[in-house]
Amino acid sequence: MLDDKNIEKRINPFFESYNTPHNTVPFHRIKLEDYEEAFMEGIRRDDEATDKLINDPAEPTFENTIARVDTEKGEHYYDLLSRVSNVFSCMMSAETCDEMEALAQKLSPILTKHANDITLNKKLFERIKFVHDHPNRELTAEEQMLLDTSYDGFVRSGALLDEEGKEKLRKLTEEASMLTLQFSQNVLKENKAYTLHITDEAQLDGLPNTAIAAAAQNAKEQEKEGWIFTLDYPSYSPFMTYSTQRKLRKEMYMARNTECTHDNDSNNLEICKRLINLRRELAQLLGFTTYADYVLKHRMASNVKNVYKLLNDLIDAYKPTAIKEVKEIEELAKEIEGKDFDMQPWDFSFYSHKLQMKKFNLDAEMLRPYFQLDKVIEGVFGLANKLYGISFKENKEIQVYHPDVKAYEVFDKDGSYLAVFYADFFPRKGKQGGAWMTEFQGQWIDHKGKNVRPHVSVVTNFTKPTEEKPALLTLGEVETFLHEFGHSLHGMFANTRFESLSGTNVWWDFVELPSQFMENYAIEKDFLRTFAFHYETGEPLPDELIERIVKSRNFMTAYACLRQVSFGLLDMAYYTQKDAFTDDIIPFEKKAWEKAMILPQLPDTCMTVTFSHIMAGGYAAGYYSYKWAEVLDADAFSVFKKNGIFDQATAKSFRDNILSKGGTEHPMTLYKRFRGQEPTIDALLERNEIKKNGEC
């Protein structure tokens, strides 16, 4: 019989130093039950620290109240909760399971209540307000920003409400937290539930070998014969673009565009209505007319009027060209199929591709052999080296959460350690669709002056390798990589004192600038020359193909612009509601974005119910940010085009004035420091070959 005294008690990994390279997350040691224990202990420590702070007899100062550093422990008050929250939220998106989903449901109201307990703590707010009204010394720009955001954050979280108002706010936020979680879980469940299982080889007609091989691999993994196509983008997109089977294209299209509308447990229609109303009620409780007014107070756009001006200006500039683009596709479809052919949404990608081939003799499959993922990684890392002098080295001693994931050490120009970079590229069960950048650890400078460096992660759903071929990307996937890598540079270059202001912790309509800026390189010949080599022959991407890429860069660009604008219009329509929202989601959606629509709308389709950005993400009343940032990125890249796309002096200015500064100053102040002036729409119109009167 074993002596219990001799059995060493297991310590929760979150409770001690990780003792790993760069203190990275020890994924192999973390068990599911560790999360709940760490969350509860983190809450307890938070409560203890808050009690200590509000009972401090010393007069409130910036140091003892706003910076909130516990000099006895030498760590931020909220270190443990932040540590476990970062890991848990990342896993919920990239490597979840039924047990973790259930735990998230259990923890959500607990964590929301805890957050409310802090922001609605009267004594804590009184200390913050005292410092805000009576700063004890002259503050730096970053310190002033932290003070302002801390004070305003409490106000925007209900600190000035009476007790009845605070109680109502608690109920609103707790319900919203649960519903956003349920929304996301429903989207993931619906996405993974559908498959198109083909056993008749004739139904593969038109599909490229890469898509067929991937579908065969999917079937093999599920121990089935034939080919399986899914709603994950690397499977769905090629099918819609190349398949000659119109009925199957319709089936795939309708499956994807009716997700979460069916009469089952994953229906999000009522959840969306409730979320819209919860946010409206929250905003009005805090003294704002609409949720958009509440959100835009802390955005570069400032107000609803400016957002609509941007969206309407884009419609005026791009719609005439977009109409011509769609008409050209319809004419080609009728030329091929007959004058009575009625083009439907599931036909659009198919005939758009045929028009692209006719005009430019170019499609994604022609380029795919030149975009082997391993080489693309080398190219993207090489671009960062050319611009900023940083380098990447894979470190297999750093633990990862799935075999697909790779971990890299990042070193600065002088050879010093800069960050850890995780890369997770392929779709799988338990992983949300899309692509994103996130952090396991942010950057800050501790009270001893140590610069704690970030651990950032890029997660995508790229085309998987097969038994015969390595992972070969489309040009669109290369652009996606560059986009998310731009976000990661924003995180890796962070160099601020306070974590809450570092890296991507900036206003939402500024956060997409670094990411969209990087997309510009995808069609630059000098960049493509560094990595685009045929995966079998080693031959470089031919100049002729590069020329075709450049010529076709604006193919359907006006239509694509209006598509983004339509999403922005839908977002604003929901969150500029002044009264209770009682409309049916599906018809409301179709009317809301009608002004930007070119193609006919189908009665049963709905995007809102899977529109995670505005329902479960941070883009509610902020989706316009993508177009806002596109104006910024085109304007910023015009400086590089003038000085040289690899010009290190320009890159240094971009890093020093934007990428490293996070949210320490107003974003327009940072942008003007780099650019020398405010941005205009002219660079975007020039890049897209759109004149202000809408004529090409």
Side-chain angles (χ1 to χ4, degrees), residues 169 178 193 276 379 420 487 584 591 676-677 696:
L169 183 138
M178 287 296 295
I276 293 162
V420 170
H487 281 311
D584 290 337
K591 184 177 180 181
Q677 62 186 46
C696 288

Side-chain angles (χ1 to χ4, degrees), residues 559-654:
Y559 174 83
C561 174
L562 287 194
R563 183 171 180 270
Q564 287 290 90
V565 168
S566 72
F567 299 160
L569 289 173
L570 179 63
D571 175 37
M572 293 305 289
Y574 285 134
Y575 294 117
T576 53
Q577 294 289 316
K578 297 178 182 179
D579 301 315
F581 182 76
T582 58
D583 295 51
D584 290 337
I585 289 287
I586 295 177
F588 182 89
E589 172 182 286
K590 298 185 187 324
K591 184 177 180 181
W593 61 19
E594 188 176 24
K595 189 177 180 181
M597 281 291 155
I598 308 296
L599 291 173
Q601 301 189 62
L602 301 178
D604 296 329
T605 59
C606 185
M607 180 186 177
T608 301
V609 288
T610 59
F611 200 173
S612 297
H613 280 73
I614 70 167
M615 289 297 161
Y619 284 87
Y623 196 84
Y624 76 91
S625 301
Y626 284 100
K627 298 310 294 185
W628 187 277
E630 201 171 334
V631 172
L632 295 176
D633 94 68
D635 190 68
F637 196 68
S638 69
V639 182
F640 282 80
K641 292 289 283 187
K642 178 182 177 182
N643 298 337
I645 64 169
F646 301 130
D647 184 66
Q648 292 188 352
T650 307
K652 184 178 186 303
S653 176
F654 194 66

Side-chain angles (χ1 to χ4, degrees), residues 37-53:
E37 184 183 30
F39 271 118
M40 300 313 294
E41 173 62 14
I43 289 172
R44 189 197 67 77
R45 292 188 191 181
D46 264 13
D47 290 341
E48 182 182 82
T50 301
D51 286 342
K52 181 178 178 180
L53 180 60

Side-chain angles (χ1 to χ4, degrees), residues 10-18 26 29-31 34 83:
R10 179 179 177 274
I11 299 175
N12 189 316
F14 291 113
F15 291 170
E16 59 184 353
S17 174
Y18 289 152
R29 289 168 45 207
I30 296 173
K31 298 181 179 181
D34 292 331
R83 171 186 269 199

